Amino acid sequence: MFLKKLCAFRFRVQSFTGEKFGQVEKTELDAHFENLLSRADSTKNWTEKIFRQTEVLLQPNPSSRIEEFLYEKLDRTVPSRPNNEELLGHYMQDAAKDFGPGTPYGSTLIKVGDCERRLGSVQREFLQTSAISFLTPLRNFLEGDWRTISKERRLLENRRLDLDSCKARLKKAKLAESKAAAVPDFQETRPRNYVLSASASAAEHELRVAQTEFDRQAEVTRLLLEGISSTHVNHLRCLHEFVEAQTAYYKQCHLHMQDLQKELDRFPNAFAGNPGHSMASGGSSPLDPASAVETDTLKIEEVQAPATGTRKAKVLYDYDAADTSELSLLADELITVYTVPGMDSDWLVGERGNQKGKVPVTYLELLS
């Protein structure tokens, strides 16, 4: 058996080498078969590229991809770890506890951190759905169907080389037989012609067997290659599911961000009154004179504190008065504040000793 395989391998090498140098006739496949081969190769190449890039999209960290690959090969579950959004949300909420959840910055960190954690949860669900509905079918094709196709194609190539080798041997036997018939040897004509005829007959038998095996293998390979059409249909369905998963993911993210924005809009911006800050939204600051037209009509020196409704407030940040109607503030000091009819909701009247003036709400923490 070993010698037979070694002999077949030698004939294949001879046939392959002869084809490269144009010394042996090569059995050509029909045009339809060649188109199937080309289509299959293209499908494999593009599927591999799409699969690899989708992996990068879903998991940009190469170390994490390698780790997931190793766990998959070891048939073990990948340890659950927080993703970037969840980790960011966790850090923000921890920072809020340190800064004080009652401060504007701390309360905002809590809101944003909670939103980031929800975004992380949505992303985790999207990654799991995409891996099952899109990546897994592509991987199954590359590691399953394509390996089977490649194996059968290699067998077909071997059968073709065997067939070409048999054709070459038959051609050589026929040529030797014709030469012997053209120049007969009257003393040994009968034995030599008999041997050459037997050699040609054996070569014809080997050729018939090789042709049958080649045809059978070509049919098997053809059926597998025609199955690429079904693969395209399956991948098309998976692609639709991937798009639906992406759509749902971005929609949920958008809704979470809209909810967060609405919540933040209910909180005054602590940086709104910073004189050197340029508003990113292009809108006017609550501390801008244009937004306090109503309070400009009030004469602060004539305003009297109400009998009830005054509160103590702690100053969170330093604030420099823009004009004589405002009161400058120092961080951590305590002042008395109250509101009067007609004042903008972003402002209060503050008193410190015998000093009085408008103060921005966003710079205060109301205590009582």
Side-chain angles (χ1 to χ4, degrees):
M1 178 64 72
F2 175 74
L3 291 177
K4 184 177 180 181
K5 289 184 177 180
L6 183 61
C7 185
F9 176 74
R10 181 172 64 86
F11 285 142
R12 288 169 186 166
V13 171
Q14 290 176 347
S15 180
F16 181 79
T17 305
E19 290 174 0
K20 292 299 181 182
F21 288 98
Q23 299 172 351
V24 178
E25 181 182 355
K26 178 181 178 180
T27 300
E28 299 292 345
L29 300 169
D30 61 76
H32 176 64
F33 202 101
E34 291 289 353
N35 288 335
L36 291 176
L37 289 173
S38 176
R39 188 166 179 243
D41 288 334
S42 180
T43 299
K44 182 262 181 181
N45 292 334
W46 285 114
T47 300
E48 196 169 45
K49 289 180 179 180
I50 292 172
F51 175 79
R52 299 303 177 198
Q53 192 57 40
T54 304
E55 278 190 322
V56 173
L57 172 68
L58 300 181
Q59 179 51 268
N61 190 334
S63 299
S64 297
R65 292 202 302 272
I66 294 174
E67 181 185 42
E68 292 174 0
F69 174 79
L70 293 177
Y71 272 101
E72 181 182 350
K73 291 302 178 183
L74 294 174
D75 197 21
R76 296 176 59 185
T77 304
V78 180
S80 178
R81 296 188 179 90
N83 54 34
N84 293 331
E85 287 80 1
E86 291 171 332
L87 199 58
L88 176 60
H90 180 72
Y91 286 161
M92 285 184 170
Q93 292 184 333
D94 284 350
K97 295 176 183 177
D98 191 22
F99 298 147
T103 65
Y105 186 36
S107 60
T108 303
L109 278 174
I110 291 177
K111 296 293 183 182
V112 178
D114 181 63
C115 181
E116 292 295 336
R117 296 180 72 170
R118 279 182 283 155
L119 291 177
S121 177
V122 172
Q123 185 193 55
R124 186 182 299 277
E125 182 180 351
F126 165 64
L127 296 182
Q128 292 174 348
T129 302
S130 299
I132 294 172
S133 64
F134 191 61
L135 279 183
T136 298
L138 298 186
R139 183 188 293 109
N140 289 342
F141 168 73
L142 294 172
E143 297 181 356
D145 295 350
W146 182 253
R147 288 185 179 179
T148 302
I149 291 174
S150 299
K151 177 183 176 181
E152 296 302 327
R153 286 178 65 175
R154 287 193 297 268
L155 288 175
L156 178 62
E157 180 66 10
N158 289 338
R159 296 291 181 266
R160 187 190 64 76
L161 291 173
D162 291 342
L163 178 60
D164 292 344
S165 179
C166 289
K167 289 179 179 179
R169 290 200 298 275
L170 177 60
K171 184 177 181 180
K172 185 176 180 181
K174 290 287 188 181
L175 183 61
E177 186 178 17
S178 62
K179 285 183 178 180
V183 186
D185 186 341
F186 293 103
Q187 294 182 353
E188 299 183 1
T189 297
R190 186 173 181 181
R192 186 175 62 179
N193 287 346
Y194 178 77
V195 171
L196 292 174
S197 178
S199 177
S201 298
E204 288 178 350
H205 174 71
E206 291 177 358
L207 177 60
R208 286 194 296 271
V209 173
Q211 184 69 55
T212 300
E213 292 180 350
F214 173 78
D215 292 340
R216 185 185 300 115
Q217 186 60 37
E219 184 61 24
V220 171
T221 308
R222 183 193 301 273
L223 291 175
L224 289 173
L225 293 174
E226 289 176 346
I228 292 293
S229 297
S230 299
T231 298
H232 285 189
V233 173
N234 182 40
H235 288 181
L236 175 62
R237 177 181 57 81
C238 296
L239 185 60
H240 276 278
E241 293 179 359
F242 179 59
V243 171
E244 290 175 1
Q246 274 191 311
T247 303
Y249 167 63
Y250 289 119
K251 181 179 180 180
Q252 290 181 55
C253 289
H254 181 65
L255 291 176
H256 285 317
M257 294 307 298
Q258 278 188 323
D259 292 341
L260 174 63
Q261 196 170 35
K262 291 177 182 178
E263 289 186 25
L264 294 184
D265 286 343
R266 292 197 292 266
F267 285 83
N269 292 324
F271 56 80
N274 190 341
H277 182 78
S278 175
M279 299 298 289
S281 62
S284 62
S285 165
L287 307 186
D288 190 276
S291 65
V293 175
E294 294 181 0
T295 60
D296 287 343
T297 61
L298 297 174
K299 294 183 179 181
I300 294 298
E301 63 275 7
E302 298 179 0
V303 172
Q304 299 297 323
T308 59
T310 61
R311 303 178 65 178
K312 290 292 183 180
K314 179 181 178 181
V315 178
L316 299 176
Y317 319 100
D318 291 345
Y319 177 72
D320 294 328
D323 54 44
T324 57
S325 67
E326 298 180 3
L327 179 66
S328 295
L329 303 174
L330 294 175
D332 296 328
E333 69 174 332
L334 294 178
I335 62 173
T336 301
V337 294
Y338 52 89
T339 185
V340 294
M343 283 196 69
D344 189 284
S345 60
D346 293 324
W347 296 82
L348 292 172
V349 176
E351 290 187 359
R352 180 179 55 233
N354 59 355
Q355 295 179 322
K356 180 167 45 176
K358 296 182 299 181
V359 293
V361 175
T362 53
Y363 279 65
L364 305 174
E365 179 184 356
L366 300 179
L367 301 178
S368 61

